[in-house]
Amino acid sequence: MPSYSFTVFTPTYNRARLLAEVFESLKAQTFTDFEWIIVDDGSTDDTRARVEEWQANACFPIVYVHQENRGKHVAINRGLSLASGEFFLIQDSDDLLLPHTLKRFHEIWNAIPPDERKSLGGVMGLCAYRDGSIVPNRFPRDSMDMSHREYWFEMNMKGDKCYFVVTDLLRRYPFPEIPGEKFLAEGVVFNRLNPRFRCVNEVMRIIQYLPDGLTAKARAIRYRSPRGARLYYGEAVRLPTGIKPKLKNMANFIRYSVHAGESLYASLAEVGFPLLFGISLPIGLGLAWIDKARLASSR
């Protein structure tokens, strides 16, 4: 049986100052049945010392683990292996939960009839920027159910959302760990799992995008981890989506196959869809050429 209602999980790398803000936001929670797990992905700042101070004084349990720098996806796997919460909420070090977030999530989940809960993987709410404006866009209706794939590929939703997932459900799909690569899109797991969420138009998280964050450096990070990017797009192109997403995913599959040094013939045999592959080929090759040109110009 779970020991807590929530595991709040934070992967971090040299973010001691920002972690202090996360800690304060957790201290302010009006619902206190949670643990905080921090997986330190190779920090060289004073993260450990800061966390040890908080562990001695916090009114909630804090679990701290340090690992060599292997990437957020590996840190999530580690966090899931340690989690004692019924629900797993990933809380990045540059974002903040509102004081009512865990309380509202718990209330919303418990208000769902037990038979309906069986088909759901969690609850999803909105995010806002620090100036109070909503990260676009809102859900079409309040208190509606939507799967991960519907969110991304059918409803044309955009922007970050705040959500939790049933921990045991997420444990069924660990992130693939590719030797030598430090990035893998969370979409790999969520496309496979395809959880359904009860979606509510309530702000649950305050976010900011920092210059050194994963969002800001997404293109360069994927370039340095091409096999992971190739895995994501190769699986995404097989999903039951419209032609536009399929073209985009196939072009990117080709793009990162080039960066990974994979043969185009072998890539075609692996992914299938020869007509789509042929149509997307010039776009994918062009994107790969642009990536290499940008890298060369930045040196």
Side-chain angles (χ1 to χ4, degrees):
M1 292 292 292
S3 299
Y4 307 98
S5 293
F6 290 94
T7 291
V8 178
F9 168 72
T10 301
T12 188
Y13 174 73
N14 286 341
R15 292 284 187 86
R17 178 184 62 82
L18 293 172
L19 271 181
E21 295 184 337
V22 177
F23 175 60
E24 292 300 322
S25 79
L26 294 179
K27 281 172 58 180
Q29 290 301 304
T30 57
F31 182 86
T32 58
D33 185 20
F34 69 92
E35 63 175 349
W36 187 25
I37 295 180
I38 303 165
V39 174
D40 185 346
D41 192 37
S43 294
T44 57
D45 63 4
D46 62 342
T47 293
R48 182 190 294 273
R50 291 277 194 105
V51 174
E52 287 175 349
E53 290 180 12
W54 303 332
Q55 285 174 318
N57 299 292
C59 58
F60 52 88
I62 302 175
V63 178
Y64 172 82
V65 177
H66 186 278
Q67 67 179 27
E68 64 175 295
N69 183 228
R70 298 182 62 194
K72 180 179 178 180
H73 64 295
V74 178
I76 293 174
N77 283 346
R78 189 77 178 274
L80 281 167
S81 73
L82 299 169
S84 296
E86 181 180 3
F87 310 118
F88 195 81
L89 187 154
I90 299 174
Q91 173 64 25
D92 289 340
S93 55
D94 48 0
D95 300 334
L96 303 173
L97 296 182
L98 296 173
H100 64 261
T101 296
L102 296 183
K103 180 175 185 291
R104 284 297 297 139
F105 271 155
H106 194 257
E107 289 173 344
I108 293 164
W109 180 260
N110 283 335
I112 301 170
D115 285 346
E116 290 184 36
R117 280 188 226 154
K118 294 176 183 178
S119 66
L120 295 174
V123 177
M124 180 180 292
L126 303 178
C127 294
Y129 297 111
R130 297 210 175 199
D131 65 2
S133 59
I134 303 296
V135 177
N137 44 15
R138 294 175 181 269
F139 301 109
R141 303 185 310 278
D142 193 30
S143 196
M144 65 179 294
D145 294 345
M146 185 188 306
S147 75
H148 169 79
R149 294 178 192 169
E150 288 170 334
Y151 176 93
W152 283 107
F153 301 117
E154 296 179 28
M155 303 296 293
N156 197 32
M157 299 293 292
K158 301 182 186 298
D160 286 335
K161 298 293 185 287
C162 181
Y163 58 86
F164 70 79
V165 183
V166 174
T167 305
D168 285 342
L169 185 63
L170 196 53
R171 281 197 181 110
R172 298 179 194 173
Y173 292 83
F175 283 87
E177 298 181 14
I178 302 173
E181 297 206 352
K182 296 182 180 179
F183 177 78
L184 184 69
E186 291 172 43
V188 169
V189 163
F190 281 89
N191 283 343
R192 293 175 178 181
L193 174 59
N194 195 31
R196 292 190 67 80
F197 292 96
R198 175 62 51 90
C199 302
V200 295
N201 283 316
E202 297 182 32
V203 174
M204 302 293 190
R205 174 178 285 150
I206 303 299
I207 69 170
Q208 62 178 336
Y209 298 120
L210 299 178
D212 64 341
L214 292 178
T215 301
K217 300 188 296 184
R219 182 182 289 110
I221 289 170
R222 287 191 177 95
Y223 182 87
R224 292 193 294 269
S225 297
R227 287 177 291 166
R230 183 178 182 275
L231 174 64
Y232 170 79
Y233 289 112
E235 292 189 356
V237 80
R238 299 186 187 98
L239 297 176
T241 65
I243 187 62
K244 187 175 179 179
K246 282 188 178 294
L247 282 167
K248 177 182 177 182
N249 289 324
M250 183 65 87
N252 279 300
F253 174 75
I254 294 167
R255 172 190 197 175
Y256 291 106
S257 293
V258 171
H259 293 325
E262 297 289 344
S263 157
L264 291 176
Y265 293 105
S267 297
L268 171 58
E270 177 184 336
V271 77
F273 304 102
L275 179 59
L276 183 65
F277 191 95
I279 294 171
S280 306
L281 183 60
I283 302 171
L285 293 176
L287 290 170
W289 182 86
I290 291 170
D291 291 338
K292 291 180 179 180
R294 282 177 172 164
L295 180 64
S297 66
S298 67
R299 288 174 176 169

